[in-house]
Amino acid sequence: PVLDGLIESEAVDAIAVSGVDHAPAILTALAKRRVYLAGANEAAYRTGRTYYDLFTAEALSGKPEGAKSVRVNNRVRGVIKAALGSLQLRAKDPAKRLAAAGQVFRRKDLAVLPVLDGLIENEPVAGVKRALVETRAALILAEPQSGKADKLDAIAILKARGKQDAVVALGPALSDKDADVAAAAGSAVKSVEAWLAMAANLQNIWYGLSLGSVLLLAAIGLAITFGVMGVINMAHGEMVMLGAYTTFVVQEAFRAYWPEGFGLSLPLAIPLAFAVAGLVGIAIERGIIRFLYGRPLETLLATWGVSLVLQQSVRTIFGPTNREVGAPSYMSGGFEFMGLAITYNPLWIIVFTLVVFAVLLLILRHTTLGLQMRAVTQNRGMAASMGIRTGYVDAMTFGLGSGIAGIAGVALSQIDNVSPN
């Protein structure tokens, strides 16, 4: 709509909500009086020295014949500036609208403030609508001319947001001339900072649980070997190391031969790590430990020597530097829960630990090997007299404990880089 060559603000809104890719170029040209009309259905805009069709964005050989420049006044220039600032807020993709709301929140683009009410009213996605409401609250506090009631409502909204950027957004209100506004902002900042401190502690607990889950897996394996055999295995940590390096080797094989199937590398590494660490554990028990039963100090020294051999072997094969193990796509990212950032990686590790623990309980309570292990633990001599092959149980027990440590290595590889240490 044009009246005597002067564009109306409704036209600017129509261009902004059109969703066409070249809408920013049209609005930018319009602010510089580089939009030209030759008739109801013939229009062009100029970027640099090139003219483009207003409707199709196709390049033209020149300005349409008889076309006249569309004029804008200061009021419409303000509308154009706001439209350019809110263009992404009108995008069809909700993710783009959410990202644009975050950008406006951080930049405090006051030119967008006049159009936010309409955007909030028409926004169909609850998450995006909440982000727009919070963005409007931040802009209200950044605008010196805002009313007291609006500022108090904005402070309440930002207090509920409960993030560090909300503290920054509340900053202008702390020095407000109105004592009630300044007091409300100060109270909101204290409340948000108290929540952030508690959230940081909860976040540390969450990451501590994931690391503690790995240590639990390693401790379970050690408890099995010590409980059944009375052996303090100083090479148990090297079983964790072997599991972690098994994961690295499996992932390298996937990267080299089947990169599109990388997501399967971790599920495949779990049984392989159990097998590798378990077989090494059986070899240690059959080759060294079984000759030293009843001499705990000597088994401690022998397994310590084995640990040094295993560490140096890994250094020789893979080198002393750290090796990076990647996380599959389904273990990346996360979600927000009550203001806490819950990442999928620690969540998977905790769930994995619980599953391994449950499977181990089933093995100990509902299998023949578990029954024999418990019998040997309670009374080795009586178990042997009842026909249980205690040597076989010792080897399988050592293998089971070492295999669980190998699985712990798979989990540990998702927390930190893999190294001989």
Side-chain angles (χ1 to χ4, degrees):
V2 177
L3 182 63
D4 294 333
L6 184 68
I7 193 166
E8 299 176 13
S9 59
E10 290 82 357
V12 177
D13 292 334
I15 294 169
V17 301
S18 64
V20 297
D21 294 335
H22 59 292
I26 296 174
L27 293 175
T28 302
L30 189 60
K32 298 177 180 179
R33 293 190 62 179
R34 293 178 180 176
V35 172
Y36 308 90
L37 295 182
N41 297 313
E42 190 175 3
Y45 66 94
R46 179 164 63 89
T47 300
R49 296 184 178 181
T50 307
Y51 291 86
Y52 298 90
D53 185 276
L54 187 74
F55 304 105
T56 65
E58 293 180 358
L60 304 174
S61 57
K63 185 172 68 173
E65 186 177 352
K68 294 182 180 181
S69 173
V70 175
R71 295 182 290 113
V72 294
N73 57 22
N74 289 335
R75 180 180 63 85
V76 175
R77 282 194 180 92
V79 175
I80 292 172
K81 185 178 179 182
L84 282 170
S86 64
L87 206 58
Q88 284 295 92
L89 294 172
R90 304 175 189 268
K92 296 179 180 179
D93 185 355
K96 290 183 178 180
R97 298 200 299 273
L98 185 62
Q103 290 178 356
V104 175
F105 186 100
R106 291 188 294 271
R107 292 199 308 251
K108 308 296 185 295
D109 188 356
L110 294 176
V112 181
L113 185 56
V115 302
L116 275 177
D117 285 332
L119 294 175
I120 292 170
E121 184 178 352
N122 297 321
E123 177 55 55
V125 180
V128 178
K129 189 170 187 174
R130 183 174 64 252
L132 291 174
V133 170
E134 293 169 348
T135 298
R136 179 179 177 274
L139 296 183
I140 286 175
L141 294 184
E143 171 56 67
Q145 304 302 322
S146 299
K148 177 179 178 179
D150 289 337
K151 288 182 178 180
L152 291 175
D153 290 341
I155 289 171
I157 291 170
L158 292 173
K159 178 182 178 181
R161 180 179 175 90
K163 295 182 179 179
Q164 185 61 46
D165 55 8
V167 175
V168 176
L170 286 164
L174 292 173
S175 56
D176 197 273
K177 295 180 181 180
D178 191 297
D180 292 337
V181 173
S187 175
V189 168
K190 289 181 180 179
S191 175
V192 173
E193 288 179 342
W195 161 247
L196 290 174
M198 185 175 70
N201 290 330
L202 293 174
Q203 204 79 54
N204 289 335
I205 291 172
W206 173 248
Y207 287 116
L209 284 174
S210 64
L211 181 57
S213 298
V214 178
L215 298 178
L216 175 63
L217 286 176
I220 289 172
L222 191 61
I224 290 174
T225 55
F226 181 74
V228 175
M229 307 165 65
V231 173
I232 302 175
N233 180 16
M234 293 295 288
H236 192 74
E238 279 61 42
M239 302 300 108
V240 179
M241 176 191 71
L242 291 178
Y245 271 100
T246 300
T247 308
F248 168 73
V249 171
V250 170
Q251 289 199 348
E252 287 299 295
F254 269 86
R255 288 190 179 102
Y257 301 108
W258 192 24
E260 60 273 15
F262 185 79
L264 298 175
S265 61
L266 206 60
L268 182 62
I270 292 171
L272 287 177
F274 180 85
V276 169
L279 289 174
V280 171
I282 292 173
I284 293 173
E285 195 280 332
R286 290 287 86 189
I288 299 174
I289 301 297
R290 71 187 180 103
F291 300 110
L292 301 174
Y293 285 129
R295 291 180 282 178
L297 181 59
E298 293 182 26
T299 57
L300 185 149
L301 292 173
T303 53
W304 181 52
V306 170
S307 74
L308 298 178
V309 171
L310 290 175
Q311 283 191 41
Q312 192 56 45
S313 299
V314 167
R315 284 193 181 93
T316 302
I317 298 171
F318 298 101
T321 57
N322 289 357
R323 298 289 184 166
E324 184 179 358
V325 176
S329 58
Y330 50 82
M331 290 185 66
S332 303
F335 60 93
E336 191 172 298
F337 177 70
M338 296 180 62
L340 299 177
I342 305 298
T343 51
Y344 290 129
N345 201 323
L347 181 61
W348 275 107
I349 291 173
I350 293 171
V351 171
F352 175 64
T353 300
L354 294 175
V355 170
V356 172
F357 190 69
V359 171
L360 182 61
L361 283 178
L362 290 175
I363 291 174
L364 292 177
R365 294 180 179 275
H366 301 287
T367 66
T368 301
L369 176 61
L371 179 64
Q372 292 177 350
M373 285 171 58
R374 287 183 286 131
V376 173
T377 302
Q378 292 174 20
N379 192 322
R380 177 179 292 269
M382 181 61 73
S385 68
M386 297 297 292
I388 295 177
R389 295 180 297 164
T390 56
Y392 169 81
V393 172
D394 288 338
M396 291 299 102
T397 301
F398 209 92
L400 178 62
S402 299
I404 293 174
I407 292 177
V410 179
L412 186 60
S413 70
Q414 298 302 302
I415 295 178
D416 202 355
N417 292 328
V418 175
S419 74
N421 299 320

